[in-house]
Amino acid sequence: MNYGKPESEIIVNEQMLDVHPIPASTIKSNITTRSNGDNFNDLKLVDKPDSPMNARGDETSFSLRNCLGYLRRLPLKAPNSSLQNPQTIVNMVNILTDPTATAEFAKEEEHNEQREEGEPDSVFEPTSELMKKKLKEIKKKTSHIKAPSVLGRVVEPGNICFYKKDGLTFAVTEGRWLLRSVKARWIGKSMSLDRDKILLQDSKVLIVRVKPGEVALAREQGVEVILDVGTHVFNSGTVILEGRVKFATTAHFSHGRYHYLRVSRGHFGKVWVETMSSSGARTLVPRLLDEGEHYIDSHLFKFEGFVKCSIDIIEHGSIHLISVPKGKVAKVFQETKPRLLGEGDHFIESTDFEFHGWEDIILNNVIVHGTITILRVTLGKIALAWKDSDPVFISDPGLYEFDSANFSFVEFKDAEERLIQLGAKKIILVHTGQVGVSYDDGLLKILPNGRHIISSSTHIFHRFLSTQQKSIRLATLNANERISRKNMKKLQASKYAQEDSFFGSNGEDSDLTICETKDLVKVGLRADVFYSIEDPEKCINKIDTDELEDLVRETAIATLTNIIRSTALNQIAQSNNVSVGSDGSDLLTNLQSNDQGIENPAPSAPMAVFFEKAHDEFMVKLHDDFMQRYGVDIANIRIESFKIMDNDLAESISKHALTTAQIENEMANLEGKSLISTQTERTSAEVKNISAQADASALKTTADAENQRKIDAARAIAESLKINAKAEAEAEAEAILMKAKAEAEAIALKARAEAERAAMLSRTELGQQEALLNIYSDMVVKSNQGVEKVVYLDPSVSRESPFALSGLHNLNQDLHSLTQIGIAANETQVENRADRQSKFEKINVHNKQKV
């Protein structure tokens, strides 16, 4: 018993005897079923072909080897002469006139199995000692001799002729013959050896020719004889030919104690044979013979016919061959014990055996046979059964087998069913939004959500109770309707019903709550109340839950009626915020909608105020009271609409409201036109504004694009100028460098030339003076460069002026000074040259760095 804690699984009684669940994880199945890979062939109670209760079914079970009289081949009597040599036939006819000859030949016969078909045994060859001996002995008894000339009887080739002497019959072959004894006489005419049978009247001679593919059945001195292929000669008078058998057309023949049976492929031969037990007792037993040829020497052998191997059930006496196809099991009783035979061929030998049909293991989830029960529990199913008078629930998927008279399967149930019960054991599934109502020893027990297992017989489950929110229409019912409703609920009551069906008349105002206002105007309200059970235990202890809906409905109608009675009709239509079109038109629309039967019209603004007030008063009066007393939550009341039940009053109000509505509609139209004009101008302005903004945006976009283009172009020009400047700077640096090199070389050349000239001039006085004059001349020329004005100055006035012409006196002084300068120049020449070389190198380095 478990009523307070849900169970997630159903556990099968582990102490149950003879229960063998097959775990799906350890079985590899080749049967296509909906089970979890379980294999019927792995069940202990499903017998396999090699079961100890089955017969061995070996080779001897389908042959005659262990039977009394078993023969490896037919005892065929070999021919004693050859048709190819007619003389051998004549010799045997003559030799067999001696009664002892047959016994002598039989004694010496070798029964060679390797001899060719149709050929006699070697003892009958003319060269054998016994044959030579017998020919000598018989020659004395015969009377025929070769006839000379045209005398005697002529026997044509391929014929034989007989004569009789002293009661014995002799024969001659082709030729002309005379009988030398007066006792001898010819018997009839010559006879052809091509006949299958030669039998003379008043004679003991019998010649039988057996063709290939057949045997001849004869009796010699009453004993069964089967003649093999060839020519057989008899001259004893004790041989009777009974017939011939062709193997091609005869599958079975019997000749006295000898029996031949040929079983074709795909068949069994049903026979009865004699066997001997280990104690020496002989019994006649049934036997199924497999394909092939079978031979036996027995007077008790009996053949009953052939049966196809493809037949599922083959029964012959105490032998039962059951071929169980794939996907089925066979139900049988053997020695009053039930058995289930699995896939394969079952060879059973029993005198107390009954076949009770097949069971499809793919389609059937339960197999019951005697005391054997096999259950396949699939996912989502629960098996219900009785075991030793106790209820058993099996929910784990798999195969289960039982072999007990105390086990009884009842039925399968879906695991999702809310109530599964067998005897005192119950599985209760409580869904969300419900509780289970049960009584344990008479005490109320509430079952929460989940799965519960109850095993106590005194714990009784009563019903499911919904805790979900419900809605009921508040409709005023008369006495007859209340009685009819209660009767209908009793008829429709179900022990495990979740909800009560709504019952009411189908009239136009059948779902209205009829009441009077404060000014005695009868009105109807269409309203719904929503409630739910919050405390199931309190609710059940206080009231009958089947009457809860009626209690809520009647209480809600009474409360709502009291609220309406305390309110005048004009209060229903008043509003704190009255606007044009909200008072008269909405009221008119609501009244017309109710008169025309429109379902659930939207409440007008005045009505909405009243509905909200009624809702608040209703909830204050009922919510807390129902929760404390019954554990029921009155969640809400929804008032959809109301209707004035007095048609005249409703029509008058409608007309008044219509007039008011027309006036207000005209005012609304005027106001609407004003609004339309204003809106039109506003719209036009907004359109212009939008157009201007669009133009400005377009211009801004164009300007931005142009600026960006110019910026990109300036950047390109700057980059180009930068590249050109760089190239020009490099070129200019290169030019400066080249020019500096050239100037340096020119200075060096000029310096060397001047040095050489100075050296040459310095060698003479005149040269020295000329050099000084040239230097002075150059100095004067350079000092006067750029002079634009000429000032005339009298040398006599100012001889010290720099603008005065040099006189001789001054010239001598200057020469003397230059002489001194030249001397100094000679001394500093080397230093100046070094300075120039250093300056030249600095210029080169500077130009290179600039480049």
Side-chain angles (χ1 to χ4, degrees):
M1 179 181 63
N2 182 4
Y3 54 82
K5 182 179 180 181
E7 292 289 340
S8 59
E9 296 181 355
I10 304 173
I11 303 174
V12 179
N13 186 359
E14 297 180 354
Q15 303 299 325
M16 187 184 306
L17 301 177
D18 301 328
V19 180
H20 310 287
I22 305 299
S25 59
T26 60
I27 297 176
K28 295 181 179 179
S29 174
N30 55 4
I31 300 179
T32 305
T33 66
R34 291 184 298 170
S35 62
N36 297 328
D38 297 343
N39 192 340
F40 261 80
N41 294 329
D42 293 321
L43 295 177
K44 297 180 180 179
L45 298 180
V46 177
D47 292 338
K48 299 162 184 63
D50 57 354
S51 172
M53 295 190 68
N54 295 348
R56 289 186 302 169
D58 54 8
E59 294 183 0
T60 60
S61 301
F62 298 96
S63 66
L64 301 174
R65 292 184 182 179
N66 59 349
C67 302
L68 295 178
Y70 165 72
L71 298 174
R72 295 181 62 244
R73 57 180 298 171
L74 282 175
L76 301 177
K77 185 176 179 62
N80 53 10
S81 57
S82 175
L83 187 63
Q84 306 298 327
N85 187 1
Q87 185 60 45
T88 60
I89 299 176
V90 171
N91 291 340
M92 289 306 301
V93 171
N94 296 334
I95 290 173
L96 292 178
T97 56
D98 182 5
T100 62
T102 301
E104 291 181 13
F105 278 111
K107 184 178 180 180
E108 296 294 330
E109 202 168 352
E110 296 180 357
H111 299 291
N112 184 12
E113 295 182 0
Q114 302 298 326
R115 67 179 179 83
E116 295 184 6
E117 186 180 46
E119 295 297 325
D121 197 272
S122 59
V123 71
F124 298 107
E125 296 290 335
T127 57
S128 68
E129 295 298 328
L130 181 58
M131 181 60 73
K132 292 177 181 179
K133 175 184 175 183
K134 289 298 180 182
L135 288 176
K136 289 181 181 180
E137 293 178 355
I138 201 62
K139 191 174 183 180
K140 298 177 181 180
K141 296 182 179 181
T142 60
S143 298
H144 61 277
I145 59 173
K146 291 284 186 178
S149 185
V150 296
L151 299 177
R153 173 168 289 201
V154 177
V155 180
E156 296 178 355
N159 290 341
I160 188 172
C161 190
F162 300 94
Y163 67 91
K164 204 170 187 179
K165 176 186 175 183
D166 297 331
L168 301 177
T169 301
F170 297 91
V172 295
T173 185
E174 61 179 282
R176 186 181 294 271
W177 304 96
L178 288 175
L179 298 178
R180 60 185 179 181
S181 174
V182 296
K183 296 181 179 181
R185 60 181 179 84
W186 296 103
I187 303 175
K189 298 179 180 181
S190 299
M191 303 180 70
S192 174
L193 291 174
D194 197 27
R195 295 182 179 182
D196 292 338
K197 177 182 177 182
I198 298 177
L199 178 63
L200 299 177
Q201 295 181 354
D202 299 331
S203 175
K204 300 178 181 179
V205 175
L206 174 64
I207 300 176
V208 179
R209 188 185 68 169
V210 181
K211 298 178 181 179
E214 65 180 17
V215 293
L217 307 180
R219 288 185 181 271
E220 187 174 6
Q221 296 181 356
V223 178
E224 302 85 352
V225 178
I226 302 176
L227 306 182
D228 199 2
V229 176
T231 303
H232 300 263
V233 177
F234 303 96
N235 195 2
S236 62
T238 58
V239 179
I240 300 174
L241 181 63
E242 294 185 348
R244 299 171 185 269
V245 175
K246 292 183 178 181
F247 289 107
T249 58
T250 305
H252 166 258
F253 70 85
S254 297
H255 182 46
R257 63 181 183 175
Y258 298 115
H259 306 273
Y260 167 82
L261 181 63
R262 185 180 71 250
V263 182
S264 60
R265 176 167 292 184
H267 290 78
F268 286 118
K270 297 164 65 175
V271 299
W272 290 85
V273 294
E274 187 180 18
T275 60
M276 181 180 292
S277 63
S278 57
S279 61
R282 295 189 175 190
T283 53
L284 192 64
V285 298
R287 186 65 57 91
L288 292 175
L289 301 183
D290 205 353
E291 63 177 280
E293 293 183 323
H294 305 271
Y295 317 97
I296 192 169
D297 178 6
S298 174
H299 290 288
L300 299 178
F301 179 85
K302 182 181 178 182
F303 172 68
E304 289 191 353
F306 296 103
V307 62
K308 291 184 178 180
C309 298
S310 59
I311 298 177
D312 294 335
I313 304 173
I314 300 175
E315 295 184 317
H316 176 47
S318 60
I319 293 178
H320 310 274
L321 183 60
I322 312 295
S323 296
V324 182
K326 193 173 184 178
K328 292 186 177 181
V329 292
K331 300 190 298 185
V332 300
F333 278 94
Q334 183 175 349
E335 279 82 31
T336 68
K337 181 180 179 180
R339 293 183 63 193
L340 291 176
L341 308 181
E343 176 186 343
D345 295 330
H346 297 260
F347 187 76
I348 300 171
E349 190 167 358
S350 173
T351 57
D352 186 5
F353 182 88
E354 293 181 8
F355 176 77
H356 280 242
W358 306 95
E359 284 287 351
D360 194 321
I361 62 177
I362 298 177
L363 300 179
N364 297 336
N365 289 332
V366 56
I367 297 175
V368 179
H369 177 50
T371 59
I372 296 176
T373 303
I374 295 180
L375 303 176
R376 182 197 283 114
V377 180
T378 57
L379 190 64
K381 292 288 185 179
I382 299 177
L384 278 62
W386 291 96
K387 180 67 174 72
D388 296 330
S389 300
D390 293 329
V392 176
F393 291 174
I394 305 175
S395 65
D396 292 336
L399 285 173
Y400 298 85
E401 55 183 349
F402 308 86
D403 188 7
S404 172
N406 295 325
F407 182 86
S408 176
F409 172 75
V410 178
E411 62 179 334
F412 283 107
K413 287 284 190 179
D414 291 332
E416 62 185 11
E417 289 190 20
R418 296 193 302 154
L419 176 63
I420 301 175
Q421 182 172 359
L422 181 63
K425 191 168 185 178
K426 295 168 282 290
I427 299 177
I428 302 167
L429 178 62
V430 182
H431 293 168
T432 301
Q434 292 180 342
V435 294
V437 181
S438 65
Y439 294 92
D440 188 8
D441 292 330
L443 299 178
L444 176 64
K445 298 294 182 182
I446 300 298
L447 305 180
N449 301 337
R451 186 183 294 271
H452 307 269
I453 299 177
I454 299 176
S455 300
S456 174
S457 59
T458 60
H459 194 167
I460 301 172
F461 178 75
H462 177 60
R463 61 171 295 181
F464 291 101
L465 182 62
S466 175
T467 59
Q468 294 176 335
Q469 190 177 86
K470 297 181 181 180
S471 66
I472 56 175
R473 179 59 56 88
L474 301 182
T476 303
L477 305 178
N478 55 36
N480 293 332
E481 290 176 340
R482 292 177 183 176
I483 295 173
S484 300
R485 179 179 178 80
K486 289 183 178 180
N487 294 334
M488 182 61 69
K489 288 179 64 176
K490 290 180 180 178
L491 292 176
Q492 295 181 348
S494 175
K495 185 177 182 181
Y496 307 113
Q498 299 184 56
E499 296 181 359
D500 297 326
S501 60
F502 177 80
F503 172 80
S505 60
N506 296 323
E508 181 181 357
D509 300 330
S510 60
D511 59 344
L512 295 179
T513 300
I514 309 300
C515 53
E516 293 181 348
T517 63
K518 185 177 181 180
D519 43 9
L520 303 180
V521 177
K522 183 178 290 187
V523 296
L525 288 94
R526 183 173 286 106
D528 297 303
V529 171
F530 299 87
Y531 73 97
S532 62
I533 299 176
E534 292 295 327
D535 190 344
E537 187 170 358
K538 180 186 290 187
C539 182
I540 295 172
N541 288 329
K542 290 290 184 178
I543 60 172
D544 185 356
T545 54
D546 292 334
E547 302 295 333
L548 177 60
E549 181 179 339
D550 292 336
L551 175 63
V552 173
R553 179 184 292 106
E554 297 299 332
T555 306
I557 290 174
T559 303
L560 188 59
T561 300
N562 291 332
I563 295 173
I564 298 300
R565 284 178 180 173
S566 62
T567 307
L569 181 61
N570 60 350
Q571 291 178 336
I572 298 176
Q574 72 180 2
S575 174
N576 294 329
N577 186 16
V578 179
S579 60
V580 177
S582 64
D583 187 13
S585 60
D586 290 347
L587 179 60
L588 174 61
T589 302
N590 187 55
L591 292 173
Q592 291 177 345
S593 299
N594 285 301
D595 291 339
Q596 296 173 2
I598 299 177
E599 292 293 332
N600 301 331
S604 62
M607 287 188 228
V609 173
F610 166 72
F611 289 170
E612 184 177 355
K613 176 184 177 182
H615 170 272
D616 294 341
E617 292 184 14
F618 182 88
M619 294 301 295
V620 168
K621 291 181 179 181
L622 289 187
H623 180 271
D624 294 340
D625 180 64
F626 265 73
M627 179 63 74
Q628 294 174 3
R629 294 175 61 184
Y630 307 115
V632 177
D633 177 26
I634 304 297
N636 192 15
I637 179 173
R638 181 181 62 197
I639 304 175
E640 298 179 359
S641 61
F642 87 102
K643 176 181 180 182
I644 299 176
M645 306 305 295
D646 188 343
N647 295 330
D648 295 337
L649 179 59
E651 185 177 358
S652 175
I653 294 174
S654 298
K655 290 180 180 179
H656 176 72
L658 180 60
T659 303
T660 304
Q662 290 176 352
I663 296 173
E664 291 178 351
N665 284 335
E666 292 179 359
M667 294 177 63
N669 290 334
L670 294 175
E671 185 177 357
K673 290 180 180 179
S674 176
L675 291 175
I676 291 172
S677 299
T678 304
Q679 187 63 33
T680 301
E681 295 298 330
R682 186 178 300 169
T683 303
S684 178
E686 290 179 353
V687 168
K688 291 180 180 180
N689 187 23
I690 292 172
S691 177
Q693 289 180 356
D695 294 340
S697 178
L699 291 174
K700 183 178 181 300
T701 303
T702 303
D704 292 342
E706 183 65 21
N707 292 334
Q708 186 64 35
R709 185 184 63 78
K710 291 181 177 180
I711 291 171
D712 293 340
R715 287 179 180 174
I717 293 172
E719 189 68 23
S720 176
L721 293 175
K722 180 179 178 181
I723 294 173
N724 292 334
K726 184 177 180 181
E728 290 177 357
E730 291 177 353
E732 184 178 358
E734 186 69 22
I736 292 172
L737 181 61
M738 295 176 64
K739 183 178 180 181
K741 288 182 179 180
E743 290 178 352
E745 292 177 357
I747 292 171
L749 291 174
K750 186 177 181 181
R752 285 196 296 270
E754 288 181 350
E756 291 178 357
R757 182 173 176 271
M760 293 176 65
L761 291 175
S762 60
R763 292 175 185 173
T764 62
E765 292 291 332
L766 180 61
Q768 294 178 354
Q769 294 297 323
E770 183 180 3
L772 291 174
L773 288 175
N774 288 334
I775 293 172
Y776 185 78
S777 175
D778 291 338
M779 181 184 67
V780 173
V781 171
K782 290 182 179 179
S783 64
N784 291 323
Q785 285 181 353
V787 177
E788 296 180 354
K789 293 181 179 182
V790 177
V791 178
Y792 295 96
L793 184 64
D794 188 1
S796 61
V797 177
S798 179
R799 294 181 179 181
E800 299 298 327
S801 175
F803 300 102
L805 293 175
S806 299
L808 292 176
H809 176 75
N810 295 334
L811 181 61
N812 290 328
Q813 294 178 353
D814 293 335
L815 291 175
H816 178 74
S817 301
L818 290 172
T819 302
Q820 296 298 321
I821 294 173
I823 295 171
N826 289 332
E827 296 176 355
T828 61
Q829 185 177 1
V830 177
E831 295 178 0
N832 291 335
R833 187 177 298 172
D835 291 339
R836 285 196 301 269
Q837 185 67 27
S838 175
K839 184 177 180 180
F840 178 74
E841 291 178 356
K842 289 180 179 180
I843 291 172
N844 288 339
V845 172
H846 176 71
N847 291 335
K848 288 181 180 181
Q849 290 178 352
K850 184 176 181 181
V851 173

